[in-house]
Amino acid sequence: MLVTNAKELLQKAMAGKYAIPSCNFIDLDSARVFCKTAADLKLPLILAFAEVHKNMISLEEAALIGKYLAGQYDAPIILHLDHGTEVEYCLRAMELGFTSVMIDASMKDFDGNVATTKEVVDAARKLGVQVEAEIGHVGSNVLEGDGSLYTEPEEAARFVAASGCDSLAVSIGTSHGVYKTGTPKLSFDALHGIAAALPETPLVLHGGSGTGDENLSRCAKEGIAKINVCTDFYVAAMEAVKGLDDFFDVKADSNAAIRKVQEHYYRVFGTK
Ligand code: 13P
């Protein structure tokens, strides 16, 4: 069922020292796999649609798919907008029924990030929607020189107090996409510092793919409540369909591969 209490679910995960996976869907098939797997395993799910995928399906289509499927499956499902870059886009998502939105103004300076996030938070409060924001910056695709800026604990605490966001994406060494040079080295010292500075605020790890099970399991146990995964699902799907020449087999085998990755990450994150 579609639920609105993202912060409560994430705080429960914090207290229980596990993380909830945020799975990026790009079409009806992937969304259905994520919801069905969550229901079969009786586990919570953050069903995420990223603004960057709006060329594949529109926000309106994503909202309809998410709401419909969440209503069909017996698991707590949060319909989340991932990496909304504009206030307007976040507002549209809320109006369409997303129960959680991320406003990513992490490329702005501190005051600009606070102001943009606060605008979304103010609108979200009226609609009972939860807001994730980002401080520091998780870059893309490479281990070093990817534009990432580590999150500073003191700055993170000031940011949450000033913006009123419900959860916070932090940068501790992951990147979005496929790593070119192996498993990343995460800064658990940075994570512990941020978690100590923000004992009530659920923390979010972006760029879960390729980060390594040991790193992710430690993150879940040591302060991260939500872990975002996208690339690993679609890499596994591509791998599974190599050599197939029947479109129906391609659909079935890619869906099965996506499910296997989701089941794997539920185990790694210790999700309850
Ligand atoms: P990956 O594609 O690296 O798993 O990142 C997903 C993500 O962080 C979505 O916000």
Side-chain angles (χ1 to χ4, degrees):
M1 78 285 314
L2 187 66
V3 296
T4 54
N5 58 340
K7 189 170 185 178
E8 211 179 297
L9 282 183
L10 293 177
Q11 282 178 329
K12 211 169 136 197
M14 280 171 88
K17 299 198 180 307
Y18 62 88
I20 302 175
S22 176
C23 304
N24 282 100
F25 72 99
I26 52 165
D27 56 14
L28 175 62
D29 269 39
S30 49
R32 192 193 301 106
V33 170
F34 294 141
C35 292
K36 183 169 183 343
T37 307
D40 288 348
L41 300 181
K42 302 197 181 328
L43 292 173
L45 168 70
I46 297 162
L47 182 65
F49 175 71
E51 184 182 331
V52 73
H53 294 138
K54 65 187 175 193
N55 59 334
M56 309 201 62
I57 52 172
S58 69
L59 187 62
E60 286 73 13
E61 288 170 317
L64 285 173
I65 289 171
K67 285 188 292 186
Y68 171 72
L69 289 174
Q72 295 300 303
Y73 290 99
D74 190 16
I77 297 173
I78 293 160
L79 179 58
H80 176 74
L81 173 69
D82 189 29
H83 289 287
T85 58
E86 303 286 337
V87 172
E88 266 314 303
Y89 199 79
C90 292
L91 296 183
R92 250 175 68 210
M94 293 183 215
E95 280 157 13
L96 289 166
F98 279 73
T99 54
S100 167
V101 297
M102 178 197 191
I103 174 70
D104 181 1
S106 61
M107 290 308 277
K108 295 188 176 175
D109 64 13
F110 182 87
D111 290 341
N113 192 354
V114 168
T116 303
T117 301
K118 198 166 176 331
E119 220 179 315
V120 175
V121 169
D122 288 346
R125 288 289 166 268
K126 292 180 193 132
L127 297 165
V129 172
Q130 311 272 296
V131 179
E132 175 185 327
E134 178 168 326
I135 184 93
H137 181 69
V138 177
S140 292
N141 296 326
V142 288
L143 260 185
E144 286 167 353
D146 67 345
S148 286
L149 291 171
Y150 274 46
T151 305
E152 300 284 341
E154 179 273 335
E155 196 176 58
R158 269 195 301 128
F159 178 80
V160 170
S163 69
C165 67
D166 298 293
S167 58
L168 188 69
V170 296
S171 176
I172 57 166
T174 55
S175 278
H176 292 104
V178 174
Y179 293 94
K180 296 201 175 94
T181 42
T183 308
K185 186 164 168 29
L186 305 191
S187 173
F188 286 97
D189 286 347
L191 175 58
H192 299 154
I194 302 162
L198 286 165
E200 305 292 327
T201 307
L203 303 179
V204 178
L205 186 76
H206 281 248
S209 296
T211 301
D213 293 350
E214 207 177 315
N215 274 334
L216 293 175
S217 165
R218 260 192 89 180
C219 281
K221 288 189 184 117
E222 297 179 27
I224 296 285
K226 168 178 179 269
I227 300 179
N228 290 17
V229 181
C230 180
T231 307
D232 276 355
F233 294 120
Y234 301 106
V235 168
M238 279 302 293
E239 206 46 49
V241 303
K242 274 188 187 151
L244 294 183
D245 56 9
D246 180 289
F247 186 64
F248 291 87
D249 288 345
V250 166
K251 292 276 243 187
D253 288 16
S254 55
N255 288 342
I258 290 171
R259 178 180 174 117
K260 229 167 129 184
V261 173
Q262 186 184 359
E263 286 176 345
H264 173 77
Y265 279 131
Y266 270 131
R267 282 193 296 276
V268 172
F269 302 169
T271 317
K272 292 185 185 75

